[in-house]
């Protein structure tokens, strides 16, 4: 039997979604497909490991089962589940619960999706799904490369994001954007990398891939990097957790919860843990972001005697015990600079952070303007990269990448690298896309200034190293058009040349008129 290649695997997995069409909403496909994919993969790898222990070490089957790295209890085994012809969903729910019980690192990961609701999934549909997933072996020995399943999983995440439209932005960051940020902040071997809104885990996985290609980045099958993340949405957290395991990053420390209100990663002294690299694509302009203020809103009676909630004043009610908002409290309607300040707070002194934020963070005034001014005065902003429009699922507006550096090299002190990459994209039907040539151009232009590497053709219409004094003169407004003039220069008009050309044209017109009159005269007209 030939080994399973990526194209076959992707097609096979996408066909499983087609079985679900009409039964459940397309935005929910991912939860069911990812669960079954994980179950089949876990079973196949378990069986593969059992057979290896039996043949290599001469163990009996019961002993071999007990020695496996990832134990699958009997009620969760694929061969047992296939026997069910009715109440299949209930059997699957029991299987996932049993796996979580035996493998505490998966607690809450698999049981977030309920298969037992027959109004959503009939036994017929589930039987078709099980038959479909039974077509191929997902043992390591039957995959074309060890990373194949992780790549296919990422393909599915992308497809489901496309399929669910706006909702896709809640769990998927476009790969081109992720790759660009990773190459800008350049995680190194042995570092701790953290994503405070990790979604399906793409930014952490891309960071690990980057490190794996560095000298000493890989030891055997393990990448020399530590991955950390937190995610508020429980369903998305489960997808990210499975994604990590399918990519063989089993040790990633992924926590559940609201990062702004209740950050989970703390040290022995209960202070915030610090990281070498912080990377994120937080939800754009999230409002009502400080939950304690929202759940305890005061009320007053309006003119008609009805109770009316008083909108909380965040500058007064937001009190963070970790002291993360030292540059100012962002407004209630925009959490963007709250996420940015959290990232700065958990960044080591020699660390770097890269975050995608909406363009408005570059120029909005009020509280955000004050925060931006303080960040620039503290010389924390290393670079700003303006991205093209329509890259993201949840908005058509352009975004920007902020690069934060607490210890800028001497040549970047009191300077900001500004790149206008708004024209670097491939136009798509629903979303535009950053491809490798665009990413390469952005990173090379940025590194030209950041690392002082000589890259030819870095035009001032694309990237500049801007002195903070120039930004100060612009009232700390970082709107890219103030610093980079990308417009095409109009050709100069020389009036004497234009007059001479007009005289030539008039002379030519007289010659044509004379010849035409001669021809007409010869014809007797």
């Amino acid at each position: 039997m030939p080994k399973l290649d990526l194209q076959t695997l992707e097609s096979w997995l996408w066909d499983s979604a087609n079985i679900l069409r009409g039964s459940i909403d397309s935005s929910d496909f991912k939860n069911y497909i990812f669960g079954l994919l994980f179950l089949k993969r876990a079973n196949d790898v378990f069986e593969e490991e059992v057979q290896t222990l039996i043949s290599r070490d001469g163990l009996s089957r019961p002993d071999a089962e007990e020695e496996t790295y990832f134990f699958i209890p009997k009620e969760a085994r694929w061969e047992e589940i296939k026997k069910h012809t009715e109440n299949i969903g209930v059997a699957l729910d029991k299987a996932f619960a049993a796996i979580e019980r035996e493998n505490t690192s998966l607690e809450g990961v698999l049981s977030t999706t309920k298969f037992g609701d027959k109004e959503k999934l009939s036994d017929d549909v589930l039987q078709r799904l099980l038959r479909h997933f039974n077509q191929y072996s997902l043992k390591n020995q039957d995959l074309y490369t060890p990373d194949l399943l992780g790549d296919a999983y990422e393909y599915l995440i992308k497809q489901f994001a496309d399929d669910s439209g706006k909702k896709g932005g809640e769990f998927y960051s476009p790969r081109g954007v992720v790759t660009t940020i990773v190459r800008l902040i350049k995680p190194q071997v042995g570092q701790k990398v953290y994503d405070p809104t990790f979604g399906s885990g793409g930014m952490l996985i891309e960071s690990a891939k980057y490190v794996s290609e560095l000298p000493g980045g890989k030891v055997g099958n393990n990448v020399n990097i530590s991955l950390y993340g937190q995610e508020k949405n429980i369903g998305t957290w489960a997808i990210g957790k499975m994604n990590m395991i399918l990519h063989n990053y089993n040790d990633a420390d992924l926590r559940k919860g609201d990062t702004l209100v209740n950050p989970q990663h703390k040290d022995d002294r209960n202070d915030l843990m610090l990281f070498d690299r912080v990377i994120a694509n937080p939800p754009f302009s999230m409002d009502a972001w400080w939950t304690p203020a929202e759940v305890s809103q005061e009320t007053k009676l309006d003119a008609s005697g009805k109770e009316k909630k008083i909108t909380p004043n965040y500058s007064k009610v937001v009190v963070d015990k970790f002291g993360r908002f030292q540059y100012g409290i962002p407004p209630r309607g925009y959490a963007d600079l709250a996420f940015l300040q959290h990232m700065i707070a958990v960044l080591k002194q020699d660390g770097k952070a890269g975050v995608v934020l909406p363009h408005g963070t570059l120029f909005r005034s009020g509280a955000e303007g004050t925060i931006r001014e303080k960040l620039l005065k503290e010389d924390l902003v290393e670079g700003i990269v303006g991205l093209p429009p329509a890259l993201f699922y949840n908005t058509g507006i352009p975004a920007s990448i902020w690069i934060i550096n607490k210890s800028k090299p001497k040549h970047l002190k009191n300077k900001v690298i500004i790149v206008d990459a708004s024209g670097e994209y491939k136009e798509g039907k629903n979303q535009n896309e950053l491809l490798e040539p665009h990413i390469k151009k952005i990173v090379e232009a940025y590194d030209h200034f950041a690392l002082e590497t000589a890259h030819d053709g870095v035009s001032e219409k694309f990237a500049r190293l801007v002195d903070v004094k120039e930004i100060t003169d612009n009232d700390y407004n970082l709107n890219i058009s103030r610093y980079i003039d990308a417009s095409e220069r109009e050709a100069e008009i020389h009036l004497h040349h234009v007059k001479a050309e007009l005289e030539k044209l008039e002379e030519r017109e007289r010659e044509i008129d004379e010849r035409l009159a001669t021809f007409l005269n010869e014809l007797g007209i």
Side-chain angles (χ1 to χ4, degrees):
M1 184 178 179
K3 291 196 174 186
L4 193 58
D5 60 40
L6 183 59
Q7 187 175 359
T8 305
L9 182 56
E10 286 177 349
S11 176
W12 173 56
L13 290 174
W14 188 243
D15 284 344
S16 65
N18 292 329
I19 293 173
L20 286 172
R21 290 191 193 281
S23 297
I24 56 174
D25 190 273
S26 62
S27 61
D28 293 328
F29 284 177
K30 61 185 183 301
N31 303 319
Y32 297 94
I33 300 301
F34 291 155
L36 285 176
L37 173 62
F38 189 88
L39 182 64
K40 180 67 163 63
R41 165 69 168 171
N43 266 275
D44 287 356
V45 171
F46 171 76
E47 186 59 34
E48 183 178 38
E49 193 177 355
V50 167
Q51 293 303 326
T52 298
L53 289 167
I54 290 172
S55 58
R56 186 191 65 199
D57 300 342
L59 299 180
S60 65
R61 183 168 182 101
D63 287 343
E65 288 178 357
E66 292 296 328
E67 290 293 318
T68 55
Y69 173 77
F70 191 88
F71 180 72
I72 304 293
K74 187 173 181 181
E75 63 265 43
R77 292 182 192 169
W78 193 255
E79 293 304 315
E80 288 295 317
I81 293 168
K82 281 197 307 178
K83 294 175 184 177
H84 292 271
T85 56
E86 56 183 25
N87 296 323
I88 299 171
V90 174
L92 284 168
D93 288 341
K94 288 180 178 178
F96 290 128
I99 292 175
E100 287 187 8
R101 186 178 64 244
E102 294 292 337
N103 303 274
T104 53
S105 64
L106 287 174
E107 186 178 349
V109 175
L110 303 172
S111 56
T112 54
T113 301
K114 301 301 179 188
F115 285 79
D117 185 350
K118 286 194 176 184
E119 289 186 8
K120 283 188 174 181
L121 291 174
S122 66
D123 282 329
D124 288 343
V125 169
L126 285 173
Q127 206 159 37
R128 283 181 64 199
L129 271 178
L130 291 179
R131 281 199 300 266
H132 183 78
F133 272 90
N134 201 48
Q135 289 178 2
Y136 292 101
S137 165
L138 297 178
K139 294 176 182 176
N140 288 319
Q141 67 188 30
D142 295 324
L143 300 179
Y144 193 73
T145 67
D147 293 332
L148 187 69
L149 207 65
D151 292 340
Y153 193 87
E154 284 190 40
Y155 157 82
L156 270 185
I157 290 172
K158 167 72 168 67
Q159 291 297 104
F160 287 134
D162 283 342
D163 212 43
S164 54
K166 186 176 180 179
K167 287 184 179 179
E170 296 174 8
F171 60 91
Y172 178 77
S173 300
R175 174 170 276 194
V177 176
V178 175
T179 303
T180 301
I181 301 178
V182 169
R183 291 190 195 174
L184 289 174
I185 66 172
K186 297 176 176 46
Q188 298 298 301
V189 174
Q191 288 189 336
K192 291 181 176 180
V193 181
Y194 167 70
D195 184 343
T197 57
F198 74 83
S200 55
M203 287 190 162
L204 294 175
I205 288 168
E206 189 63 32
S207 297
K209 285 182 179 177
Y210 181 91
V211 167
S212 72
E213 294 170 6
L214 299 176
K218 209 164 185 181
V219 182
N221 289 325
N222 297 319
V223 180
N224 192 356
I225 191 172
S226 300
L227 303 176
Y228 301 81
Q230 185 166 337
E231 173 57 45
K232 184 178 180 179
N233 183 297
I234 301 303
T236 304
W237 169 82
I239 290 170
K241 187 91 171 174
M242 285 189 276
N243 197 10
M244 288 293 171
I245 293 170
L246 290 172
H247 275 90
N248 297 317
Y249 301 125
N250 296 353
D251 296 331
D253 183 350
L254 306 178
R255 310 279 182 91
K256 292 176 278 189
D258 185 334
T259 304
L260 292 179
V261 174
N262 188 19
Q264 294 290 308
H265 292 90
K266 287 169 271 196
D267 60 21
D268 295 338
R269 296 175 301 173
N270 214 32
D271 293 327
L272 292 175
M273 191 183 293
L274 301 180
F275 305 94
D276 302 285
R277 294 290 185 270
V278 184
I279 185 168
N281 175 17
F284 285 178
S285 300
M286 186 174 79
D287 66 351
W289 51 270
W290 192 255
T291 311
E294 300 300 325
V295 298
S296 59
Q297 280 190 43
E298 295 180 2
T299 60
K300 67 176 181 179
L301 297 178
D302 62 16
S304 61
K306 290 183 180 178
E307 279 195 351
K308 182 181 178 182
K309 287 186 177 180
I310 302 172
T311 302
N313 182 343
Y314 271 37
S315 64
K316 294 180 179 178
V317 299
V318 175
V319 179
D320 178 44
K321 64 181 178 181
F322 298 103
R324 289 170 294 171
F325 307 132
Q326 58 179 302
Y327 303 105
I329 307 295
R332 180 174 182 256
Y334 301 103
D336 308 302
L337 296 185
F339 281 111
L340 181 63
Q341 289 188 83
H342 168 77
M343 294 171 71
I344 291 170
V346 299
L347 190 63
K348 288 183 179 178
Q349 192 58 39
D350 60 351
K352 260 193 178 186
V355 57
V356 186
L357 297 175
H359 244 37
T361 56
L362 301 177
F363 54 79
R364 287 193 295 246
S365 57
E368 289 183 301
T370 302
I371 294 168
R372 193 170 55 246
E373 177 181 341
K374 289 179 180 177
L375 294 175
L376 287 161
K377 283 181 174 177
E378 290 282 329
D379 206 18
L380 291 170
V381 184
E382 180 184 283
I384 300 290
V385 178
L387 294 173
L391 287 178
F392 298 87
Y393 289 96
N394 52 348
T395 179
I397 63 170
S400 55
I401 298 170
W402 290 59
I403 303 297
I404 300 294
N405 188 344
K406 285 187 172 180
S407 301
K408 286 187 187 179
K410 188 176 180 181
H411 72 281
L412 292 181
K413 293 286 186 185
N414 294 307
K415 291 179 173 62
V416 178
I417 303 166
I418 296 183
V419 181
D420 180 7
S422 58
E424 299 300 312
Y425 64 94
K426 176 189 174 186
E427 192 169 351
K429 184 180 178 182
N430 296 316
Q431 271 77 40
N432 294 328
E433 193 175 0
L434 277 179
L435 300 180
E436 178 57 31
H438 309 128
I439 298 168
K440 188 170 185 283
K441 182 178 178 182
I442 294 167
V443 174
E444 285 188 350
Y446 193 92
D447 287 351
H448 173 76
F449 299 109
L451 305 179
E452 293 188 300
T453 54
H455 287 293
D456 296 332
V458 179
S459 165
E460 280 204 349
K461 289 183 176 293
F462 186 69
R464 282 184 62 211
L465 185 60
V466 180
D467 198 291
V468 169
K469 185 181 183 308
E470 185 179 343
I471 300 171
T472 303
D473 292 341
N474 276 300
D475 294 324
Y476 300 96
N477 188 316
L478 282 171
N479 202 343
I480 290 169
S481 61
R482 294 197 176 206
Y483 307 99
I484 295 182
D485 179 11
S487 61
E488 291 297 323
R489 188 178 176 185
E490 293 184 10
E492 291 184 12
I493 297 174
H494 297 280
L495 292 177
H496 293 296
H497 292 170
V498 172
K499 185 181 178 184
E501 287 297 317
L502 285 172
E503 288 173 351
K504 285 180 184 179
L505 289 172
E506 287 171 355
E507 180 62 30
R508 179 71 176 147
E509 187 179 7
R510 279 195 295 271
E511 290 175 3
I512 292 169
D513 286 345
E514 287 172 4
R515 291 177 65 189
L516 180 60
T518 302
F519 291 145
L520 293 173
N521 190 44
E522 288 175 356
L523 292 169
I525 300 173

